Amino acid sequence: MGFTVAIDGPAAAGKGTISKAVAAHFGFAHLDTGLLYRATGRRMLDGLEAVEAAEALTAEDLERDGLRSAEAARAASQVAAIPEVRKALLDFQRAFARRYGGAVLDGRDIGTVICPEAEVKLFVTASDPVRAQRRFDELIASGVETTFDEVLADLKDRDRRDSARASAPLKPAEDAHLLDTTDLGIEAAVEAAVTVVKQRLEQGR
Ligand code: CDP
């Protein structure tokens, strides 16, 4: 039986951490869909045309170094605004969402476009400064030299582009549960998400 948990939200809101923990808790598979766009953006920076890059994406592309960099994130949000790029990545995400045994997908348009029939939809947010601080800490821990202001500006710029684009813009699905993690630690945020999924699983019995 398929069971899909769609987790959307802006950059560095905590989607990745929550998704991994929810998947581990319920034994579901997890797909970080941002990686598909980051890998496509990375190949565009290598000189490939964006749509061709998306159409020819391989498993190895998703394992390349540097996909977490600010440069790759910026390129990702540029290619993500191209409808043909989104179309090229659609079938893979839909098939993953309906795989046997349950799946968690995190991204920007999972609950609205990729899987509008998802059993659970969460929209994870946090204030701009809190999100920027989290991403800043992550980048510093991985050895990147940057400043808080630079990270904040990058994040706002990307959110603006992701929300304003015509094709699958970042926005909560009408039936999404909103989860604001501004004042929540990782454990509390994960617990809140797990509770929502548990309730839905119990309903389905
Ligand atoms: O980790 P973070 O939230 O910073 O970014 P990400 O989830 O890896 O996504 C990188 C970029 O890919 C986003 O800024 C979006 O432009 C794009 N993206 C998208 O358009 N749709 C998705 N389902 C996932 C990511």
Side-chain angles (χ1 to χ4, degrees):
M1 182 204 73
F3 186 98
T4 312
V5 181
I7 304 190
D8 293 303
K15 302 181 304 285
T17 308
I18 292 172
S19 302
K20 275 191 215 106
V22 167
H25 185 97
F26 294 100
F28 295 165
H30 171 229
L31 178 65
D32 168 4
T33 64
L35 216 49
L36 304 174
Y37 294 92
R38 285 172 183 264
T40 303
R42 183 71 256 167
R43 297 204 70 188
M44 179 190 72
L45 294 174
D46 294 341
L48 234 74
E49 198 276 316
V51 179
E52 271 172 41
E55 283 169 350
L57 215 58
T58 65
E60 290 83 63
D61 289 327
L62 302 181
E63 283 162 19
R64 282 178 63 174
D65 288 341
L67 293 184
R68 292 274 151 223
S69 72
E71 190 192 21
R74 228 171 285 135
S77 92
Q78 283 162 9
V79 298
I82 305 171
E84 292 81 9
V85 164
R86 306 199 72 83
K87 189 164 172 277
L89 302 175
L90 189 81
D91 289 348
F92 174 72
Q93 295 177 81
R94 284 210 173 132
F96 193 98
R98 298 318 292 171
R99 82 205 325 245
Y100 185 81
V104 181
L105 284 82
D106 74 272
R108 301 290 186 286
D109 63 339
I110 309 304
T112 50
V113 174
I114 301 297
C115 208
E117 73 286 7
E119 278 74 8
V120 175
K121 297 179 190 176
L122 287 172
F123 195 83
V124 184
T125 57
S127 72
D128 290 358
V130 164
R131 291 189 294 119
Q133 187 66 47
R134 288 180 189 159
R135 184 52 44 94
F136 176 71
D137 292 345
E138 258 171 41
L139 290 169
I140 294 294
S142 66
V144 175
E145 266 186 50
T146 185
T147 63
F148 175 82
D149 288 345
E150 203 176 355
V151 173
L152 179 64
D154 245 358
L155 202 118
K156 283 188 174 173
D157 197 41
R158 195 143 61 85
D159 286 348
R160 210 174 303 122
R161 189 163 31 214
D162 290 348
S163 306
R165 69 181 176 222
S167 178
L170 167 68
K171 64 168 185 211
E174 272 175 23
D175 52 349
H177 298 261
L178 300 183
L179 180 55
D180 185 339
T181 68
T182 305
D183 299 314
L184 292 185
I186 291 177
E187 246 174 73
V190 168
E191 199 184 313
V194 165
T195 301
V196 175
V197 176
K198 216 179 251 169
Q199 280 167 354
R200 181 61 183 83
L201 279 168
E202 278 162 10
Q203 266 172 31
R205 282 209 182 115

